[in-house]
Amino acid sequence: MENVRVRIAPSPTGYLHVGTARTALYNYLFAKKHNGVFILRIEDTDKARSSDEMTEIIQEGLNWLGIEWDEGPFHQSDYFSHYREFIPELEKTGKVYKCFCTKEELAGRREQAIKNKIAWKYDRKCLALSESEVKEKIENGNSFVYRIEIPEGKTSFDDLVHGNIERDNAEIEDFVLFRSDQSPIYNFAVVIDDSRMNITHVIRGDDHISNTFKQIHIYKLLNKEPPKFGHMPLILDENKKKLSKRSGTVSVLAFRDKGLLPEAFINFIALIGWNPGNDLEYFTMNEMTELFSLERVTKKGGVFDTKKLEWMNSKYITNCDNNRLYGLLKPLYEKESIILDNFEKEHIFRIFDSVKEKARYVNEFPQLTKFYFKDITEYEEKGMKKFINPERIDYLKDIIESLKGINEFSEKAIEGIYRDYAEKKQLKGADVIHPSRLALTGSTVGPSLFELMSILGKEIVLDRLTKFAQSAI
RNA sequence: GUCUCCAUCGUCUAGGGGUCAGGACUCAGCUCUUUCAAGGCUGCGACACGGGUUCAAAUCCCGUUGGAGACGCCA
């Protein structure tokens, strides 16, 4: 494939939508795969709803995900005054006409049609206007929009994922091209932009299929060659509805803030609506680029399964480099008044390693590892009832004495003490381990006891254990 | 309502005339184990329905049903 040029054209609505992110990903992958160009274009025709800040948020989201664009961001609004330059050319075709129907009139007739159970479509009232009538209305200062006259026949295109899609033109209304203020309507602006930017493949969501028919008519009117179109299945919520704000979290950045790793998110989202054709489902962006093809995009809408996303994230966390985690987690720990820089990096890394495979979200780390940094003030009640009794406190006291004798406070040495003691006293390991865990972490769950003791260090361990033994009962 | 798209375990999906219909997430159980996870193993679990074509249909065709999307001077 030559000179592939693709784009995403999000409208800046305040956040980067999950669906937009996946569209961006597929476009990006497609471009990379074919050594093409991926363009970011901000669809900010609707001035009232757009701002620079929103545009930045979109870029921030894309950056976070590692989706890089080659050109842009371009702003549709920068080109705003140019669209109307097409009006004379359009009028010359004779396939565009002025419509003087007001919004109110239209709304009334539409309502009536619905009442009569007739499918509403613009009724071409103004197409019937004579030249003099048009002139008169203009002179009277009536405002008008431009509509396209859709010819009879059928419109079809060869969709890259669905195959041939056809629609009777009778189903397509004479839609508006320019508003009464001469600003272009979305479909027109898109065609002009895509055409100007030499977009070769328009890869977007299924919800644009009906727009595609309209856009094809605009291409025809302008005598331009339309690009290839590929419509991919929508991402659905748990109710199988198109993923929307109502569905819950749809903002990509919100997932970041929740503690997701971008690779996990990308990996997960790629798999809704595409697969490499084998059992592989854990891969990097580069691997994905190799594997990707439009032919393997599925047709059925896919549900966004948070459980699977969490599983994916936990896998990525387990494999995440400690240095990177450190950077990610530093601010999170600071919120808990824990300053990571006050400790040896090696020490911190051991702490990370001890909980890595438990975390589903990066943000869980501070809570999971709090006991390493702070004294224990509260002990889990259930655990106290279950594991603590006078006898066990006596065991603990014995163990404290033995622990004192260790020079190198290693996992192995510590385990030796516990095992020997349990054996000597004919106890189960659990009888001595659980109370210690409780004393050291305040909890019944956590990393391996011997590992966490070794990380904690002899001094703190003896201190906490002793305090506990003295005050627990 | 009209048009368009879609239809394999609860979810993501593989398979596209002959398969024990495979994998992953979830869930359950077992195992490992000092706990929780992780890991390993096992299990539950699907071709929407009805016709056709064919020796043979989850797979091809038609229909039905179901679901979704689009129907703005929004994008």
Side-chain angles (χ1 to χ4, degrees):
Chain A
M1 225 173 288
E2 277 173 58
N3 302 326
V4 165
R5 291 173 63 84
V6 295
R7 66 6 179 227
I8 49 153
S11 54
T13 47
Y15 58 93
L16 178 62
H17 190 280
V18 168
T20 309
R22 195 200 46 171
T23 302
L25 174 64
Y26 286 5
N27 273 283
Y28 170 82
L29 257 19
F30 184 74
K32 278 245 157 170
K33 175 98 186 187
H34 296 102
N35 291 314
V37 174
F38 172 53
I39 301 164
L40 171 59
R41 186 175 77 217
I42 307 292
E43 221 93 315
D44 56 352
T45 312
D46 190 352
K47 292 160 284 187
R49 276 177 20 191
S50 314
S51 74
D52 289 349
E53 198 191 336
M54 291 172 180
T55 302
E56 268 161 40
I57 284 172
I58 287 172
Q59 297 184 61
E60 193 182 344
L62 256 17
N63 282 331
W64 179 63
L65 292 171
I67 297 174
E68 297 158 4
W69 56 97
D70 303 301
E71 294 181 15
F74 298 114
H75 294 262
Q76 215 164 45
S77 56
D78 289 344
Y79 199 73
F80 217 76
S81 55
H82 297 277
Y83 297 106
R84 71 187 56 157
E85 289 168 7
F86 287 89
I87 291 178
E89 179 186 339
L90 251 17
E91 283 195 297
K92 231 182 275 173
T93 65
K95 295 297 176 192
V96 159
Y97 60 95
K98 297 184 177 76
C99 170
F100 297 89
C101 298
T102 64
K103 283 185 192 175
E104 293 73 27
E105 288 165 4
L106 254 18
R109 275 184 269 162
R110 184 178 301 139
E111 210 173 296
Q112 196 57 239
I114 291 169
K115 217 184 249 173
N116 297 336
K117 300 208 167 182
I118 298 167
W120 165 258
K121 199 180 73 164
Y122 178 64
D123 51 15
R124 290 191 159 169
K125 189 177 173 202
C126 292
L127 180 59
L129 256 31
S130 70
E131 226 168 282
S132 58
E133 283 172 314
V134 170
K135 213 171 186 180
E136 192 189 317
K137 280 182 183 286
I138 293 175
E139 275 163 11
N140 288 343
N142 291 327
S143 68
F144 60 87
V145 300
Y146 284 97
R147 287 185 185 272
I148 178 173
E149 183 186 346
I150 302 293
E152 287 183 6
K154 290 177 191 298
T155 306
S156 69
F157 64 97
D158 198 22
D159 190 273
L160 262 11
V161 346
H162 292 282
N164 193 264
I165 303 181
E166 187 181 73
R167 194 171 184 188
D168 197 312
N169 288 357
E171 301 297 337
I172 306 170
E173 76 167 350
D174 289 355
F175 59 95
V176 173
L177 256 21
F178 289 90
R179 300 184 183 92
S180 46
D181 67 355
Q182 300 222 313
S183 67
I185 226 66
Y186 165 79
N187 276 314
F188 187 78
V190 167
V191 168
I192 298 302
D193 291 345
D194 284 343
S195 162
R196 185 180 70 250
M197 293 174 176
N198 293 313
I199 300 299
T200 56
H201 303 257
V202 171
I203 301 165
R204 49 163 48 153
D206 270 350
D207 50 349
H208 280 284
I209 290 178
S210 54
N211 281 328
T212 300
F213 290 106
K214 293 181 178 179
Q215 290 172 16
I216 286 173
H217 281 283
I218 298 174
Y219 278 106
K220 274 189 189 155
L221 214 55
L222 261 20
N223 214 1
K224 290 178 192 294
E225 184 67 23
K228 292 201 164 60
F229 294 99
H231 293 91
M232 45 227 237
L234 297 174
I235 299 179
L236 276 20
D237 64 21
E238 53 275 15
N239 300 317
K240 305 229 180 187
K241 301 262 194 272
K242 181 172 147 182
L243 196 67
S244 71
K245 266 187 269 189
R246 288 187 57 116
S247 319
T249 317
V250 290
S251 157
V252 168
L253 254 19
F255 283 99
R256 174 195 65 184
D257 297 340
K258 242 172 122 179
L260 241 71
L261 255 18
E263 315 90 289
F265 190 77
I266 281 283
N267 197 153
F268 167 74
I269 220 171
L271 254 11
I272 307 176
W274 171 82
N275 70 81
N278 52 36
D279 289 342
L280 206 62
E281 58 174 3
Y282 186 86
F283 28 59
T284 64
M285 192 76 107
N286 283 336
E287 289 165 333
M288 237 184 287
T289 307
E290 285 299 309
L291 264 17
F292 188 80
S293 78
L294 242 28
E295 289 76 48
R296 292 216 60 88
V297 171
T298 60
K299 295 177 182 174
K300 195 175 72 162
V303 174
F304 189 93
D305 181 3
T306 307
K307 279 265 169 55
K308 185 149 188 176
L309 172 60
E310 285 175 348
W311 167 81
M312 189 71 87
N313 200 43
S314 70
K315 279 200 91 166
Y316 273 96
I317 289 174
T318 307
N319 296 332
C320 186
D321 174 70
N322 278 330
N323 273 305
R324 179 155 167 239
L325 266 184
Y326 190 97
L328 251 28
L329 288 168
K330 209 173 127 174
L332 296 178
Y333 274 99
E334 264 164 37
K335 277 192 203 152
E336 301 289 325
S337 321
I338 297 165
I339 310 300
L340 292 189
D341 286 346
N342 291 347
F343 302 87
E344 296 277 331
K345 259 215 167 127
E346 209 174 309
H347 181 243
I348 298 296
F349 287 179
R350 285 183 77 192
I351 289 174
F352 288 172
D353 282 335
S354 73
V355 297
K356 250 181 175 178
E357 57 194 24
K358 296 182 201 301
R360 295 186 88 75
Y361 291 96
V362 169
N363 297 26
E364 292 169 0
F365 271 71
Q367 194 54 41
L368 251 21
T369 61
K370 217 170 164 182
F371 69 89
Y372 284 115
F373 302 96
K374 294 184 174 175
D375 283 336
I376 311 303
T377 51
E378 275 178 61
Y379 300 94
E380 192 186 302
E381 212 174 304
K382 256 170 132 181
M384 293 296 283
K385 275 190 188 144
K386 192 169 173 193
F387 298 120
I388 306 303
N389 59 41
E391 201 180 1
R392 287 191 170 163
I393 293 295
D394 287 337
Y395 300 153
L396 192 54
K397 285 175 180 166
D398 291 341
I399 286 189
I400 291 170
E401 289 313 309
S402 308
L403 251 19
K404 282 179 183 166
I406 303 181
N407 287 326
E408 197 200 335
F409 210 62
S410 70
E411 223 176 300
K412 218 172 165 189
I414 298 165
E415 177 158 15
I417 299 286
Y418 276 82
R419 298 282 178 220
D420 288 349
Y421 185 77
E423 199 182 330
K424 200 173 80 189
K425 289 275 189 177
Q426 301 244 310
L427 299 168
K428 276 192 278 183
D431 292 330
V432 283
I433 287 168
H434 287 310
S436 294
R437 174 187 304 285
L438 215 40
L440 294 168
T441 69
S443 169
T444 54
V445 301
S448 152
L449 179 69
F450 312 123
E451 183 186 6
L452 75 86
M453 285 176 80
S454 168
I455 295 171
L456 235 23
K458 188 172 177 178
E459 199 180 325
I460 294 177
V461 165
L462 287 175
D463 187 54
R464 286 188 192 174
L465 252 24
T466 308
K467 249 187 228 160
F468 185 81
Q470 285 165 356
S471 60
I473 288 182

